[in-house]
Amino acid sequence: MKYINIGNGEIKASAIALGCMRIADKSVKEVAELINTALEEGINFFDHADIYGGGKSEEVFAEAIDMKPSIREKIIIQTKCGIRKGYYDFSKEHILKSVDGSLKRLKTDYIDVLLLHRPDTLMEPEEVAEAFSILHSSGKVRNFGVSNFNPMQIELLSKYLNQKLIINQLQFSIMHTGMIDSGFNVNMKVDQSIDRDGSVLEYCRLKNITIQAWSPFQYGFFEGTFLGNEKFKELNDKIDEIAAKKGVPNIAIPIAWILRHPAKIQPIVGTTNPSRLKDICKASEIELTREEWYELYRAAGNKLP
């Protein structure tokens, strides 16, 4: 497993992270097998959120890993808050309450990284800053970040914070390339030239904010996976061709495609299948050539100007 420095360089994390959204319905034994496989493969970064499984994902994770100091110090735990039923809530009260709930469910004294899950247009940045300062000074949260934020939303929040935002989690995959499409089509009168996110990729690179790619196998929003999907024959044929050439399972190629980007984007993979996780981790063992990377981009239906 390759490792990257997250954001400010204080965290050395596995290039691939395990997302724990789908573990709530698994048994403790199944989750323990998944986590142990992740650790064996060199994954040390685990992504949670207070809403995953209504909090059950955090609970079963702690139980499965038998949370204790000797285990805790070897792993990086990230969780998120801010999404409530039908609305978003960045109030000081909710942030503090959410973190306390996560700490209790995870059976730990601290969170390595806390992300604000989705932008709340009713956000009072001074109130968020106060909550972050309380969490940081108390030792409950060591680092902070955001998810699905554009550059100006980050700038607005950062103006009031005493802490640096080190992560922005965004949807990105071979079939979800909005972050890079407009960069190829500068000054072009085509739909792909529309900058829909404020040049968030370049902004995060300039600010040393690590981008995490959520749902790296999804197409659309949550429409399904593209791997092995007959709707995307050209892409899958190219994935299979490169996988055979590299001697890795085809599931490793979409992750290798993300890892190849010099922004050092960290994919969050959400599989609950240990065998599949092992195959995914083989992405860390290979590096796509520039030509292969662009072949995959084009095979996904993208055109270069």
Side-chain angles (χ1 to χ4, degrees):
M1 176 61 62
K2 294 177 182 176
Y3 292 84
I4 59 173
N5 291 319
I6 299 291
N8 56 14
E10 293 179 6
I11 297 176
K12 188 175 183 180
S14 49
I16 299 169
L18 182 66
C20 298
M21 183 173 73
R22 297 183 177 90
I23 66 173
D25 297 328
K26 300 292 180 180
S27 68
V28 171
K29 182 179 179 181
E30 288 173 319
V31 175
E33 183 183 2
L34 178 68
I35 296 170
N36 286 330
T37 298
L39 294 171
E40 289 167 4
E41 291 297 319
I43 291 176
N44 67 351
F45 198 107
F46 299 88
D47 177 68
H48 290 269
D50 58 353
I51 63 166
Y52 291 167
K56 183 70 183 299
S57 291
E58 292 177 328
E59 288 180 352
V60 71
F61 179 88
E63 190 173 351
I65 205 169
D66 188 20
M67 192 70 78
K68 51 191 174 185
S70 60
I71 294 291
R72 181 66 184 91
E73 65 186 17
K74 296 177 182 178
I75 62 176
I76 301 161
I77 294 179
Q78 171 175 283
T79 196
K80 310 183 234 10
C81 70
I83 296 181
R84 305 189 72 172
K85 191 173 183 179
Y87 65 106
Y88 303 135
D89 187 351
F90 286 0
S91 66
K92 172 186 170 184
E93 179 185 13
H94 177 68
I95 292 172
L96 296 178
K97 183 178 179 180
S98 174
V99 169
D100 283 342
S102 289
L103 290 171
K104 182 178 180 180
R105 290 188 294 270
L106 287 164
K107 297 180 181 178
T108 183
D109 295 327
Y110 67 95
I111 301 296
D112 292 286
V113 188
L114 175 70
L115 305 186
L116 297 177
H117 209 156
R118 277 196 175 272
D120 174 16
T121 194
L122 301 182
M123 171 184 76
E124 299 282 358
E126 300 94 333
E127 194 173 347
V128 174
E130 189 176 348
F132 279 14
S133 290
I134 291 171
L135 292 170
H136 190 257
S137 62
S138 66
K140 291 181 178 180
V141 177
R142 296 185 173 180
N143 299 277
F144 300 87
V146 294
S147 182
N148 307 297
F149 272 49
N150 67 34
M152 293 311 294
Q153 290 167 333
I154 294 174
E155 283 290 307
L156 174 61
L157 181 56
S158 295
K159 177 182 177 181
Y160 298 90
L161 295 179
N162 293 317
Q163 303 79 25
K164 184 183 185 301
L165 297 173
I166 65 169
I167 286 172
N168 189 9
Q169 193 173 119
L170 300 157
Q171 188 175 14
F172 184 63
S173 72
I174 299 177
M175 287 299 301
H176 194 96
T177 54
M179 283 197 297
I180 59 178
D181 293 339
S182 61
F184 287 127
N185 293 275
V186 174
N187 203 35
M188 304 284 289
K189 290 186 177 182
V190 294
D191 184 62
Q192 290 79 7
S193 71
I194 300 172
D195 182 359
R196 304 177 191 277
D197 51 36
S199 300
V200 70
L201 173 65
E202 292 79 9
Y203 173 85
C204 287
R205 292 184 74 180
L206 286 168
K207 296 291 186 177
N208 294 320
I209 296 173
T210 295
I211 292 175
Q212 294 176 331
W214 60 266
S215 292
F217 296 104
Q218 294 279 333
Y219 69 94
F221 187 54
F222 280 119
E223 296 175 52
T225 61
F226 57 79
L227 194 65
N229 191 324
E230 60 184 16
K231 292 181 182 179
F232 311 105
K233 185 178 185 306
E234 183 181 353
L235 174 59
N236 279 284
D237 285 349
K238 180 56 67 174
I239 287 173
D240 291 344
E241 174 192 322
I242 295 175
K245 184 167 61 175
K246 299 288 186 183
V248 296
N250 63 358
I251 199 171
I253 298 301
I255 300 302
W257 186 84
I258 295 172
L259 295 177
R260 175 62 177 82
H261 199 283
K264 299 190 183 306
I265 298 168
Q266 184 187 42
I268 307 291
V269 300
T271 184
T272 58
N273 184 310
S275 178
R276 194 171 295 133
L277 181 61
K278 286 183 178 181
D279 287 344
I280 288 171
C281 287
K282 293 187 184 301
S284 180
E285 301 172 7
I286 63 171
E287 182 169 314
L288 300 180
T289 66
R290 188 180 297 266
E291 183 178 7
E292 289 166 342
W293 191 94
Y294 277 101
E295 284 177 346
L296 288 163
Y297 180 76
R298 298 197 314 273
N302 299 299
K303 293 183 179 180
L304 294 173

